[in-house]
Amino acid sequence: MTGFSSRAYDPHPCYEPVDGVVLSGWTTLAVRASRTRLLAVDGPEIAPWDELVSQLRRELGQRGVAVRTLDAREGMASWETIVASTSSTELAGDPDFETLADASLEDLFQRPVQAESETDAVIVIFGPGAALSGHDELWYFDLPKRFAEAAVVAGAGRNLGQRDMPGNPTLGNPTARRLFYVDWPILDRHRETIAPRVSLWIDAQDADRPTALEAPTLAATAAALVRRPFRARPVFNTTVWGGHWGQRQLGLGTDQPNSAVGYELIAPESGVLIGSQVGLAVEVPFQLLVSLHPMEVLGESVHERFGTSFPIRFDYLDTVDGGNLSVHCHPQAQFMREVFGWPYTQHETYYVMVAGASSHIYLGLREDADIDVFQADAAQAEEAGLAFDIGRHVQIFPAVAHQLYLVPAGTPHGSGVGNVVLEVSATPYLYSLRFYDWLRQDSLGRQRAVRTDLAFLNLDRQRHGSRVSADLIPAPRQVRSGPGWREEVLGELSEMFFEVRRLELGPGSEAPENTSGRFHVLNVVEGAGITIITSTGATAGLAYAETAVVPASVGAYTVKAWGPKQVRVVKAYVR
């Protein structure tokens, strides 16, 4: 695949398993279960636990094997106790945000359930925390986070620890607030802790035909993946301002109203498909691969600095034939650390891939901005529904295709209608503090919430006037070149830990690259695509708009352009 190999965007990149195959179906799982006497099946709250229990009962019953099941969640503390132990003082009662929970899943238990010894039945302990109970074998029954978010938003899911049982009824509706900032951090840490003991990883996206990987197969496949370039499974979400570029150009989100937000690589939510095809694959959490092989993926210096947190994300903001994003900012570093609990903050950049004829970018304060007036205008919009001209306070710049706009934390910003923005940013992604949202309504006809209180607390008042264009809209600076190619620095700031560069390759040209001990993330922003060729001879194709991780372990590699026209590739790495 080292020559030109034009192809369309692939929404389901799959990687063949190593030293094994993808297992599928309840019959296969039941046969494995019949070989043990005390089976623990752990996983997130959103997993279809009722289906697991009913299918194992049916399959094992048909084989004359008795089954006894225990719900691990029966050992959890009361809902009131869980809420009290995972709520912060700083954000008590906040409707939208919570400090990241630092508790372990075990902390949420009063006493893990334990099975009495029985020799005539297979005992299955299931649910979040099953691994805390005594067991002979441990499985992990997974469903990607996007399913949990959809269920909770629809009011159909549950937060971790919410359940209906005598003496401990579910209290209140599930909230995205607890899901994002309490449930997910706790469940992620638990999964990483128990991962070395899991013998079977099960993907429950198709409840009628789950797929699975045995632990040795997953281990061998993960070890191979982290030594070559690979892609995560992209996912597009819809929201009120969303456009239609993702639907029209990439064929994604066609069953949704729009393709507003494209998750190319967001480590806490992304997954990697292991299997020959999407219908027979296991979606493994991207973050699991990082936690199993942090040195190979991140590199020594990045691992020392960020632990197992993959610190860079790539995602799309699509407003083509949609609406303006809100004008918002992200928490400044100290606030992010002390109040929200993240050790690093949500610095962002906007790389404009597509710009409409009259499109624009909101960025930074005007030189003559009066913060008191700005705050009063924003408060009236939030409280009384009175529109105001955001251009009185925030600068408006033309959206220029292939220009990078730097957005350090605290800077007011937003993309206007008609753009496709590739966000190349720090990994935190759930902290948009809105100044103004155009009085838009949610699906229930209510004005969408903005957070002017937190937004103005975090506003960087120094990002104003001519300093904005000088510091945050930089001209490219060439740093390397060769026959038919060049590499430019697009943006760097002292407070940002990552740097954004761009490779420009003429038709058929090749550019040498080297991770130098730190991972790279690449995205083809113009042209047909590229082939990435490692020093070991491994190849990976990357078509227009696709994103790949080049693990630190890859070292030297070559990027070769596809097609008869120029190809541009954005590259980001930790400095």
Side-chain angles (χ1 to χ4, degrees):
M1 193 176 164
T2 56
F4 169 57
S5 181
S6 181
R7 62 169 174 81
Y9 181 94
D10 183 1
H12 302 116
C14 291
Y15 299 92
E16 290 283 354
V18 177
D19 295 340
V21 298
V22 174
L23 308 176
S24 68
W26 289 109
T27 300
T28 302
L29 299 184
V31 169
R32 277 193 63 110
S34 67
R35 300 173 188 157
T36 188
R37 279 288 170 255
L38 186 51
L39 173 64
V41 187
D42 212 313
E45 176 65 40
I46 188 58
W49 297 109
D50 290 346
E51 188 73 12
L52 171 82
V53 170
S54 65
Q55 291 285 2
L56 288 182
R57 282 187 182 279
R58 180 180 62 82
E59 291 281 350
L60 290 171
Q62 290 176 355
R63 290 162 176 76
V65 178
V67 180
R68 181 183 168 213
T69 59
L70 293 174
D71 191 335
R73 293 166 292 188
E74 293 181 7
M76 297 185 84
S78 70
W79 178 239
E80 297 91 335
T81 300
I82 289 173
V83 171
S85 66
T86 55
S87 297
S88 66
T89 302
E90 294 84 356
L91 294 170
D94 190 286
D96 304 305
F97 299 103
E98 177 58 282
T99 304
L100 287 182
D102 59 5
S104 69
L105 184 56
E106 189 171 8
D107 292 335
L108 275 54
F109 277 73
Q110 185 176 23
R111 183 174 62 245
V113 301
Q114 299 297 338
E116 297 178 3
S117 177
E118 295 186 22
T119 58
D120 60 344
V122 171
I123 302 172
V124 180
I125 303 174
F126 67 92
L132 302 174
S133 303
H135 55 270
D136 298 327
E137 186 171 354
L138 176 62
W139 296 356
Y140 197 84
F141 190 54
D142 198 18
L143 199 60
K145 288 177 177 176
R146 60 184 178 273
F147 291 90
E149 181 178 359
V152 166
V153 169
R158 294 182 181 183
N159 287 124
L160 186 61
Q162 279 186 316
R163 63 201 191 282
D164 294 316
M165 57 181 293
N168 191 14
T170 297
L171 302 179
N173 293 322
T175 66
R177 173 181 181 262
R178 284 196 64 83
L179 181 71
F180 295 159
Y181 308 115
V182 178
D183 300 356
W184 284 355
I186 290 174
L187 289 169
D188 286 353
R189 281 194 297 273
H190 178 66
R191 184 189 62 221
E192 292 190 15
T193 299
I194 68 174
R197 297 189 282 124
V198 173
S199 64
L200 192 69
W201 295 85
I202 307 168
D203 183 336
Q205 291 181 62
D206 184 348
D208 294 327
R209 191 189 180 211
T211 54
L213 288 170
E214 293 178 313
T217 302
L218 176 59
T221 307
L225 275 176
V226 301
R227 290 170 173 82
R228 53 152 295 171
F230 66 94
R231 292 178 61 210
R233 178 183 193 163
V235 175
F236 271 75
N237 292 337
T238 183
T239 193
V240 294
W241 47 258
H244 304 280
W245 172 85
Q247 295 169 322
R248 298 166 184 165
Q249 179 72 37
L250 308 181
L252 289 179
T254 55
D255 58 340
Q256 299 176 334
N258 55 61
S259 47
V261 184
Y263 286 6
E264 279 288 305
L265 178 67
I266 296 186
E269 291 197 39
S270 290
V272 178
L273 291 169
I274 299 175
S276 58
Q277 57 188 17
V278 66
L280 189 61
V282 174
E283 185 171 342
V284 175
F286 174 87
Q287 192 57 49
L288 177 64
L289 299 181
V290 179
S291 68
L292 291 173
H293 297 281
M295 292 286 286
E296 290 85 354
V297 177
L298 301 173
E300 182 178 4
S301 62
V302 179
H303 178 37
E304 288 178 355
R305 184 173 178 182
F306 293 96
T308 58
S309 177
F310 191 90
I312 291 177
R313 64 178 162 89
F314 275 44
D315 60 274
Y316 291 121
L317 304 176
D318 173 7
T319 62
V320 174
D321 293 332
N324 297 318
L325 266 69
S326 66
V327 177
H328 56 282
C329 73
H330 302 299
Q332 296 207 45
Q334 183 176 355
F335 194 92
M336 183 65 123
R337 184 174 57 253
E338 296 178 357
V339 178
F340 288 138
W342 265 89
Y344 59 99
T345 196
Q346 191 170 337
H347 294 305
E348 294 187 334
T349 72
Y350 277 10
Y351 184 93
V352 177
M353 284 180 65
V354 176
S358 57
S359 299
H360 46 263
I361 298 291
Y362 300 92
L363 185 64
L365 294 166
R366 287 171 53 114
E367 185 70 59
D368 59 353
D370 185 316
I371 303 303
D372 291 336
V373 175
F374 183 15
Q375 193 159 7
D377 283 349
Q380 282 192 311
E382 181 178 21
E383 297 164 9
L386 297 178
F388 70 97
D389 179 9
I390 190 69
R392 292 176 55 197
H393 313 292
V394 174
Q395 296 190 66
I396 304 174
F397 295 95
V400 177
H402 299 289
Q403 173 65 52
L404 186 76
Y405 301 78
L406 303 176
V407 188
T411 305
H413 66 284
S415 174
V417 65
N419 298 325
V420 177
V421 167
L422 173 63
E423 281 194 307
V424 180
S425 304
T427 287
Y429 63 109
L430 297 171
Y431 300 90
S432 292
L433 311 177
R434 300 187 185 111
F435 298 100
Y436 188 50
D437 194 37
W438 317 99
L439 308 184
R440 276 190 287 241
Q441 296 183 340
D442 62 20
S443 59
L444 299 177
R446 303 170 300 194
Q447 185 173 315
R448 288 214 313 168
V450 295
R451 293 307 304 269
T452 59
D453 53 344
L454 296 179
F456 281 98
L457 273 177
N458 284 275
L459 175 64
D460 186 347
R461 304 182 183 207
Q462 301 306 309
R463 299 292 181 188
H464 67 94
S466 60
R467 295 180 58 181
V468 172
S469 56
D471 296 343
L472 306 186
I473 312 178
R477 174 172 57 85
Q478 183 172 306
V479 290
R480 295 193 309 140
S481 65
W485 66 272
R486 64 179 179 179
E487 183 169 347
E488 302 168 320
V489 173
L490 297 184
E492 56 184 342
L493 282 175
S494 60
E495 60 263 51
M496 288 185 171
F497 63 81
F498 60 94
E499 184 172 294
V500 183
R501 294 191 176 194
R502 182 174 61 206
L503 274 172
E504 296 194 350
L505 302 108
S509 63
E510 299 183 11
E513 283 286 353
N514 199 311
T515 63
S516 300
R518 299 167 184 251
F519 72 87
H520 291 175
V521 183
L522 308 181
N523 179 285
V524 179
V525 294
E526 183 180 70
I530 60 172
T531 299
I532 306 168
I533 310 165
T534 71
S535 60
T536 63
T539 62
L542 205 61
Y544 173 69
E546 292 181 347
T547 301
V549 175
V550 183
S553 63
V554 167
Y557 66 97
T558 301
V559 174
K560 183 172 182 178
W562 293 352
K565 297 181 179 179
Q566 174 180 261
V567 176
R568 285 174 163 175
V569 180
V570 162
K571 177 180 77 174
Y573 63 97
V574 176
R575 291 189 295 173

